[in-house]
Every structure is written in structure tokens, then in C-alpha cells.
Amino acid sequence: MDELELGSALRARRKATDRTIASVAVDAGLSVPYIANLENGRGNPTLAALTRLSAALGATLTVSLGDTPAPPHDEAVASLVDNSDRATRVIRQLAVSRGTTRRAVREHLITALEALSPLLPNTPTTADLHRLLDLTLLAD
């Protein structure tokens, strides 16, 4: 969640409870300008301030850390990789030699093939995939 999303969520929650910034500020022990800035996507709130603000709004603050989701892949390219027995074997081999997961190697392979797509005259083909696999194995 970025600052603007946080600010919008805070404002929406405050308005849904029919509260003013001043009344929330008093309950949270924070200043009116501080809360106004947060609602406008400005400021750098501490976890303690967000916890007090959440309690004043009758909400629960949840913080989570996780992997950034990978952007969706071109389904045609992903399908090309997933339906290739040769790609499956190379992915397995590279995962072992590099000490990583097959999933990670697959993601990198799809990303590489997608990056090459604009340079190709058409959608990547099995032959293009095999060339990429050959280059990858040569580099390994």
C-alpha cells in the first residue's frame, strides 16, 4: 500500500464513522495537521502512530511483508515453456547447477523469452525457445 492508498483508506474509514479529523486526533493523541497530511498522502507515519490512529478509528492495523508478486506473463510464452519437454529438462538441470528452484528458473526463462519478443518478427516459437535454451546451457 502506498501513501495515497493509506491516506484514502484513513479518510474513508474516518468518514464512514462520521468523525472529524479533530475528534480522531484527540482519541489517537495525534495532531490535526499530522492526520490531515496522512490523509493527503503526505508524511511518514510510524507504526506506533498508525496503531493509535487505527484504534481511534475502531480498526485493526495489519502489517505484512511478502514477496512482490511477479507481473503476469504472456500466456502464449508461458505455455510454450510449460509444454516443452526440453524446457522442463533444462529447467531441472539449471535449478540443480545453480542451487535454486525450478520455479525460479522457469520464471527467468519466461521473462527472457518475453524480453526477446519485440526483437522477433512474430510471436516466439518453439525454435526460438530452443535457441534460448541452447544459449542458456552454453552460459552455464
Side-chain angles (χ1 to χ4, degrees):
M1 176 180 285
D2 67 16
E3 294 87 3
L4 290 175
E5 289 176 312
L6 174 63
S8 295
L10 290 172
R11 178 178 285 119
R13 181 70 184 211
R14 179 179 58 77
K15 287 185 173 189
T17 58
D18 200 30
R19 308 254 326 260
T20 64
I21 292 177
S23 71
V24 172
V26 168
D27 288 351
L30 301 169
S31 72
V32 170
Y34 182 77
I35 295 173
N37 280 333
L38 292 179
E39 284 190 3
N40 289 311
R42 296 186 302 268
N44 190 14
T46 64
L47 190 55
L50 289 175
T51 300
R52 293 196 327 251
L53 192 52
S54 297
L57 291 168
T60 302
L61 178 66
T62 303
V63 177
S64 66
L65 297 173
D67 293 331
T68 303
H73 288 297
D74 178 316
E75 288 192 31
V77 173
S79 178
L80 189 65
V81 171
D82 292 339
N83 293 320
S84 167
D85 291 336
R86 182 160 184 238
T88 301
R89 288 191 306 273
V90 171
I91 288 169
R92 185 181 309 118
Q93 179 181 339
L94 291 172
V96 170
S97 70
R98 295 182 180 177
T100 188
T101 64
R102 291 180 194 173
R103 180 177 180 206
V105 174
R106 174 190 173 271
E107 291 294 316
H108 290 302
L109 187 59
I110 292 171
T111 300
L113 195 53
E114 287 174 334
L116 291 172
S117 292
L119 302 173
L120 301 173
N122 301 308
T123 303
T125 65
T126 302
D128 297 318
L129 173 61
H130 288 183
R131 287 183 194 100
L132 178 59
L133 294 172
D134 290 342
L135 287 170
T136 305
L137 288 172
L138 283 172
D140 194 44

